Amino acid sequence: MKFRFLKPLCFIVFLSLNTKLMSQQDHTEKIEALLKKMTLEEKVGQMNQYNGFYDVTGPAPKNGNAALKYEHLKKGWVGSMLNVRGVEEVQKLQQLVVEESRLGIPMIFGFDVIHGLKTQSPIPLAEAASWDMEAIEESAAVAANEASAVGLNWTFAPMVDISRDARWGRVMEGGGEDPFLGAKIGAARVRGFQGKDLSLNTTIAATAKHFAAYGFAEAGKEYNTVDIGTNTLYNIVFPPFKAAVEANVQSVMNGFNILNGVPVTADAVLQRDFLKGKWGFQGFVISDWSSIAEIAPHGFAKNLKHAGEIAAKAGSDMDMESKAYVTHLAASVREGKVEERLLDDAVRRILKVKFELGLFDDPYRYCNEKREKERLFHKDHMEAVLEMAKKSIVLLKNDSGLLPLKKDQKGILVIGDLADDKNSPLGSWRLASDTNSAVSVLEGMDSYTKDYSFVQGPKYFDDDASFLQHVKINTDDTSGMEEAVAAAKNASVVVLVAGEHGFMSGEARSRTNINLPGLQHQLIKAIHKVNKNIVLVLMNGRPLALPWEAENIPTILETWQLGSQSGNAIAQTLFGDNNPSGKLPMTFPRSVGQVPIYYNHYRTGRATREPNVFWSHYADEKNSPQFPFGHGLSYTQFKYSDLSISKTAQKEISVSVSVTNKGEMEGQEVVQLYLSDPVASIVRPVKELKAFKKIRLEAGASMTVRFLLTQKELGFYTTDYEWTVEPGTFEVMVGGSSAEGLSGSFELE
Ligand code: NOJ
């Protein structure tokens, strides 16, 4: 690649000052020098992000005037672009800015690299089910490697929003319901994307989003109101964001929701006091798509200009597609409505990230056509996402031991539209992937045996068009049902693949009904009438409510949406070459009426069953979930024994437990430790995950697993955001899920 950033003299001078040896401290001087040269408009320009010219990931831009965009690019009024990808396109636009604008400040190019670029890893909720932080980090590194090969240097991931509401479509994009697990996953993803050296052309800047509490949208309805107390905000919502900041995340995205009456994009307490204040976040805040403009319709600003003023004051450093800053912010500063020092702070933060990405050394460092050709769908990436997919599968039920299937088993019948689907396993949020590029279940099974038959079954999709592609609808077409039932009569085992299609979850995909869509439930019941040997393979982007199936189908394998290698991972698991080891990162309800349902709920004054009706329960449903958080079986069995709790010299608590593989197969188990503080100055949840370890045991082998509980695990945040550890009795439970384990207790003085 020949570098062509030679035009503006000042930029050459500026570049010549940059050497490879430049340390981070040097960046500060360079940033200050550059800031001094910048006009007000150029500062605002750095705070402006435009969408590219093709793809959109939000409401279609109203002022999407391409000519104006080009003019702004040439003036240096665009600090960043999103949804531009491909070396040729990135380079063209970068060149325009670097060569034509007065100061030639390079742009950063952001994209939603949520679970891969071309090569798709499992959806983030699925990866969370692996409870394997090294694997999750590696998966993000693979995504960064591919994304950086197409000119990108910034991803809008990880989404670290905790959510307890399976109706909300975006649960597919997060780490589930638990703040402890969510914090570990968030930090692992940041490390994976950013690597150890952000300036390498294989690593990209990460974004923790959406700050804050977007996952608590009322009724699981997308873009809806959030109203939660400080207990939940500080102890449930914040921890993954704080962990991402501690992992040096380069940017944080705010969101669309209001939080307790204030749009989060307009919230100075969140962005200035907590994020940039108490937590010392050094990167910059990017708004969500048009979230600055939306401050007005929320009823918090008079118009776009006013919204921009509020957002800038609140610490929203970069404006994604609202055009509030680029249109009005300079005037607002001149009118004395916004202090210029706030813009300086925002610009410093943005420039710092650009320096750290190495863009001032070489604005085209991510633009290498040879690398682009080589890295996409690279075999190493395909291998990595296969391993990740295998680790993400959760065995929910295996009552009659139907799994694993024997490799020479005759008469396997595969049923279900999704078995043949090469697109749905890619899930939502995979803008850059190739349609139909996943390995289907049938293709995966082909590698094992040709001796199976397949019936498609009825069409079941009950959702109309998606925003990225159109899915045929066919709600009441039962063709295939009769054929499937007839074939099932003679099958030795029926592998029934059911669930949601790939775009039924994701942004703007809230559902009020989280059962199996369409005719699938009817199909399963009809098959069950003639053959009970059913392995139900679920493919879905959120927890589903399937009470009948959970009760009646002997074997259920949760495979989520596993990405490019989905069918191979599923087949290897069905035939026992992969022993499932995933654990649910989110509770599965019995019915949608139980939602929000989560394991770390509070006690109530009337939690225990009374002979009369006056206790906390439903008249028509149990209180317990269908499958609890942390649940997941294996083809082998693990036995827990010898729980021991002691105090160390440092007044920390040491917990150990012995785990034995009682079965006949090697397997992995996630050993989970839950803590409960039964009496506290603020009521604590019935239990909270505070430690876990994923271990591997040969058949018959045992291992002692040790945990250390320090001040970090023993306390909680008060309503004043003080971390407090209170003396008294604590209860400990260690086991293979949040619902059962060995219990003990200790006293803290
Ligand atoms: C809106 C989504 O909420 C956000 O997560 C995403 O990064 C942006 N659009 C950009 O596509």
Side-chain angles (χ1 to χ4, degrees), residues 413-428 430 436-445 452 454-463 469 471-472 479 484 495-505 511 515-521 523-524 535-542 544 546 557-568 570-571 574:
L413 175 68
V414 182
I415 298 181
D417 251 12
L418 282 171
D420 199 18
D421 193 333
K422 291 172 64 59
N423 211 25
S424 286
L426 299 173
S428 200
R430 33 74 175 238
N436 290 323
S437 61
V439 177
S440 72
V441 174
L442 290 184
E443 286 169 339
M445 288 187 75
Y452 67 85
F454 170 59
V455 187
Q456 205 162 22
K459 304 278 181 199
Y460 50 79
F461 298 139
D462 64 356
D463 188 26
Q469 65 161 40
V471 177
K472 276 196 197 124
S479 57
V495 174
L496 222 159
V497 189
E500 299 179 305
H501 72 65
F503 289 113
M504 283 184 92
S505 58
R511 293 179 64 195
N515 300 345
L516 285 168
L519 299 171
Q520 295 178 105
H521 173 62
L523 172 71
I524 296 170
V535 174
L536 177 59
V537 174
L538 292 176
M539 226 183 243
N540 41 291
R542 54 156 63 78
L544 297 174
L546 353 102
L557 196 67
E558 175 56 75
T559 73
W560 316 101
Q561 286 143 350
L562 291 175
S564 302
Q565 290 273 17
S566 176
N568 288 333
I570 293 171
L574 289 174

Side-chain angles (χ1 to χ4, degrees), residues 625-676:
Q626 191 72 66
F627 297 111
F629 173 83
H631 169 75
L633 305 173
S634 163
Y635 294 153
T636 187
Q637 300 82 42
F638 296 100
K639 183 170 170 276
Y640 287 72
S641 62
D642 305 321
L643 178 69
S644 151
I645 304 172
S646 58
K647 254 178 236 164
T648 68
Q650 290 74 34
K651 297 207 172 141
E652 293 169 341
I653 307 297
S654 163
V655 179
S656 70
V657 71
S658 173
V659 186
T660 306
N661 181 347
K662 302 286 280 179
E664 282 158 18
M665 201 174 182
E666 186 199 60
Q668 280 182 281
E669 169 72 331
V670 181
V671 183
Q672 303 160 41
L673 184 151
Y674 294 88
L675 197 64
S676 154

Side-chain angles (χ1 to χ4, degrees), residues 136-147:
I136 291 174
E137 184 175 331
E138 170 65 16
S139 169
V142 165
N145 192 302
E146 254 185 47

Side-chain angles (χ1 to χ4, degrees), residues 57 82 112 156 170 209-210 253 256 288-289 320 507:
T57 47
L82 84 149
D112 291 286
F156 306 127
R170 293 196 85 166
K209 68 188 189 186
H210 306 82
M253 187 184 289
F256 300 122
D288 204 342
W289 182 293
M320 180 192 287
E507 185 177 347

Side-chain angles (χ1 to χ4, degrees), residues 587-706:
T587 304
F588 273 47
R590 291 174 189 276
S591 86
V592 73
Q594 289 181 310
V595 173
I597 181 169
Y598 46 98
Y599 85 94
N600 50 354
H601 58 85
Y602 295 105
R603 298 170 170 82
T604 74
R606 296 186 179 193
T608 41
R609 181 182 274 276
E610 291 288 328
N612 57 36
V613 295
F614 301 111
W615 65 291
S616 177
H617 70 298
Y618 295 104
D620 59 352
E621 187 55 276
K622 292 180 183 163
N623 277 353
S624 61
Q626 191 72 66
F627 297 111
F629 173 83
H631 169 75
L633 305 173
S634 163
Y635 294 153
T636 187
Q637 300 82 42
F638 296 100
K639 183 170 170 276
Y640 287 72
S641 62
D642 305 321
L643 178 69
S644 151
I645 304 172
S646 58
K647 254 178 236 164
T648 68
Q650 290 74 34
K651 297 207 172 141
E652 293 169 341
I653 307 297
S654 163
V655 179
S656 70
V657 71
S658 173
V659 186
T660 306
N661 181 347
K662 302 286 280 179
E664 282 158 18
M665 201 174 182
E666 186 199 60
Q668 280 182 281
E669 169 72 331
V670 181
V671 183
Q672 303 160 41
L673 184 151
Y674 294 88
L675 197 64
S676 154
D677 182 357
V679 182
S681 58
I682 296 175
V683 172
R684 306 305 309 137
V686 289
K687 61 183 76 157
E688 292 174 281
L689 181 72
K690 289 294 176 182
F692 63 87
K693 273 187 188 152
K694 190 159 188 174
I695 58 166
R696 181 184 290 277
L697 283 177
E698 300 286 330
S702 293
M703 183 189 280
T704 301
V705 179
R706 295 179 202 285

